Amino acid sequence: MKKILFPTLIAALAFSCGGENESTDSQPKNILENFSFTVDTLVVDPGEEIINLSRGVRGSSLNETKTHFYLFDDATTQINKINLDELILEEQIPFEKEGPNGVGANFISTSRYLPGEEFLFSSFQSSGIFNKQGEKVLDLTLKPEELDIEGLGENAQFNITNSMRITPDKKQVYSLPGDFMEGTTQLAKIDLESKSGKVLPIPAMEIVGDYRILLQSDQSMSIYIEEISFQELGGKFYISGATTNSIYRFEPGQDSLQLFEFDFSLVPNQKEIPIQRKVSSMEEFEAEMEKARTQIGFEKLLFDEQTKRFYRFGRIYEPKGDDPEAPSKAQVFLFAFDENLNFLGETEIPELENTPSNAFFKDGKLWSYVNVDDELGFAVMDFKF
């Protein structure tokens, strides 16, 4: 059967595949048992402008109704506002790099749409909320010496803005500060007015740090990181990690987190083979990275507003073999949950060679980024059950 390779899919195709769990009277039905899908590719018309895809769509976000896709170009510090219903570049919104309304001249780690067409920009030097006119309407720069955060580690305070999320009333922020080598094991809750707060432990994410690899030698320094996702979906916050199927959920303003753990049958529930985390040569670095990548890894949560279901992709990369430059290929799996994160089913999708890139649900279909001859495109998958 022909494989689909994201993000270079162009043709429209149709496939089906069955899950391995059989439903019985004593066993919950696997809703993905007869899963199938069709897929089409759509391309955005940029008009006379250029949409820079040199970094893919890493700095992208959506408005509340999924009608517009906002893609930040850090080379020009402008946001490309893309109309997803008409598939056109509707507007390019400029921002300053420096000065009182500057978004930052160095690496910007976060660029995110906020309700009312405001934007959150964050870097190691500064953070803030900006309106569409490019004016900073709220300074979110958090200096360690000005903060009183109960339980915050000394090393973590310098990474306090990592994965920053703000409550709807803009009075509190949450973030995932972490040690450079150990990763993230705490959730920080900060009151913006008093500059005080506390950290909440997220021990289920400690395993993510166990698969962080540091190469440090006289010639080079490199680091391999398994991702932690901090998402806001349907008015609630979710924390998940690539190395485990566990998920934390909590509501803005609350101090208590609810942990969800699952027992999958098609794949392990987390990575199981330990790796060497500090190495001194590129050969060791690539070997340990391969050991991590060829174990199960999980993507961020996806929520379909029409069916009120969550989905999550998983993947196990194939070994690189003798050609380290060969495109990565993986076994791809899909897991389904209801809106309360009750597990509904699982399946392998042999037609896919990679998980969909920067995916989101719109109008009941899964959209994901594809590059079509250096033009912005989306592969649109229609799930069937």
Side-chain angles (χ1 to χ4, degrees):
M1 185 176 289
K2 184 177 180 181
K3 292 273 189 176
I4 305 176
L5 179 62
F6 286 90
T8 57
L9 175 64
I10 297 178
L13 302 160
F15 301 99
S16 72
C17 57
E20 296 184 6
N21 287 358
E22 294 184 1
S23 177
T24 66
D25 292 339
S26 60
Q27 209 174 24
K29 180 176 174 59
N30 177 8
I31 68 162
L32 298 180
E33 184 175 15
N34 298 309
F35 173 78
S36 65
F37 66 91
T38 59
V39 58
D40 291 297
T41 297
L42 307 175
V43 181
V44 172
D45 181 3
E48 300 298 319
E49 307 298 336
I50 295 175
I51 300 175
N52 180 12
L53 299 177
S54 61
R55 297 181 64 185
V57 294
R58 187 192 63 84
S60 62
S61 53
L62 295 155
N63 67 344
E64 304 91 328
T65 56
K66 309 288 182 71
T67 58
H68 289 85
F69 182 84
Y70 295 85
L71 175 59
F72 179 64
D73 180 0
D74 57 0
T76 59
T77 57
Q78 67 181 8
I79 284 180
N80 296 286
K81 180 181 178 181
I82 292 139
N83 188 315
L84 293 179
D85 293 331
E86 299 182 15
L87 292 173
I88 60 171
L89 174 61
E90 188 171 291
E91 186 180 4
Q92 291 184 314
I93 307 170
F95 294 88
E96 298 176 10
K97 282 189 177 183
E98 299 176 331
N101 290 314
V103 299
N106 297 320
F107 178 74
I108 296 174
S109 59
T110 300
S111 56
R112 184 183 304 123
Y113 169 92
L114 296 176
E117 210 161 36
E118 294 182 332
F119 303 92
L120 187 153
F121 292 101
S122 180
S123 68
F124 287 112
Q125 289 77 28
S126 63
S127 301
I129 295 176
F130 297 76
N131 62 22
K132 189 179 176 181
Q133 291 71 43
E135 301 165 333
K136 183 185 287 188
V137 296
L138 181 61
D139 188 357
L140 297 177
T141 302
L142 302 175
K143 299 178 181 178
E145 63 273 15
E146 297 177 353
L147 297 175
D148 181 17
I149 311 297
E150 180 184 349
L152 185 66
E154 182 177 351
N155 292 331
Q157 64 181 318
F158 298 103
N159 196 22
I160 191 65
T161 61
N162 180 50
S163 299
M164 180 185 290
R165 295 279 172 178
I166 190 165
T167 55
D169 60 11
K170 298 179 182 176
K171 293 183 178 180
Q172 295 177 327
V173 295
Y174 292 89
S175 68
L176 296 177
D179 179 86
F180 177 74
M181 192 56 205
E182 297 302 322
T184 299
T185 59
Q186 295 177 326
L187 168 70
K189 177 185 177 184
I190 305 168
D191 182 89
L192 290 174
E193 183 177 356
S194 65
K195 298 293 180 69
S196 64
K198 61 181 178 180
V199 295
L200 307 173
I202 46 174
M205 296 297 114
E206 289 180 5
I207 190 174
V208 181
D210 292 340
Y211 288 85
R212 181 169 289 208
I213 308 166
L214 177 66
L215 163 63
Q216 195 165 14
S217 68
D218 295 337
Q219 291 76 34
S220 63
M221 178 176 176
S222 300
I223 188 167
Y224 170 80
I225 296 173
E226 295 273 350
E227 184 179 7
I228 286 185
S229 296
F230 189 11
Q231 300 171 261
E232 183 178 0
L233 299 165
K236 297 180 181 179
F237 291 129
Y238 296 83
I239 301 171
S240 59
T243 60
T244 174
N245 68 12
S246 298
I247 300 168
Y248 283 104
R249 182 181 72 185
F250 68 101
E251 296 191 21
Q254 291 187 346
D255 292 344
S256 60
L257 286 74
Q258 187 174 3
L259 176 63
F260 296 83
E261 299 174 297
F262 308 97
D263 188 15
F264 296 160
S265 62
L266 294 183
V267 301
N269 297 321
Q270 61 183 33
K271 293 187 190 295
E272 298 175 328
I273 302 172
I275 63 169
Q276 183 178 344
R277 297 178 54 214
K278 292 185 178 181
V279 297
S280 57
S281 71
M282 183 56 70
E283 291 76 18
E284 288 180 307
F285 183 77
E286 290 177 350
E288 295 306 309
M289 186 167 59
E290 179 117 325
K291 192 185 299 183
R293 285 165 50 84
T294 52
Q295 299 184 62
I296 185 62
F298 299 99
E299 303 291 334
K300 67 179 183 179
L301 280 173
L302 302 166
F303 185 63
D304 180 8
E305 290 85 355
Q306 284 198 358
T307 62
K308 303 299 182 184
R309 287 177 185 161
F310 285 97
Y311 295 92
R312 195 178 188 188
F313 282 98
R315 72 287 190 279
I316 301 175
Y317 284 106
E318 297 176 2
K320 282 282 191 179
D322 297 330
D323 184 6
E325 302 301 321
S328 296
K329 297 181 180 180
Q331 285 179 274
V332 177
F333 304 87
L334 181 65
F335 309 94
F337 314 84
D338 68 15
E339 61 182 327
N340 294 312
L341 286 179
N342 294 304
F343 182 46
L344 298 178
E346 58 187 333
T347 191
E348 182 177 357
I349 310 179
E351 299 83 8
L352 299 184
E353 288 187 345
N354 277 294
T355 54
S357 175
N358 297 92
F360 58 91
F361 274 95
K362 171 178 165 56
D363 302 326
K365 297 180 181 181
L366 184 72
W367 291 48
S368 61
Y369 162 67
V370 290
N371 184 311
V372 183
D373 298 326
D374 290 330
E375 298 290 352
L376 176 61
F378 295 95
V380 181
M381 299 176 67
D382 189 2
F383 288 3
K384 309 293 183 183
F385 303 93

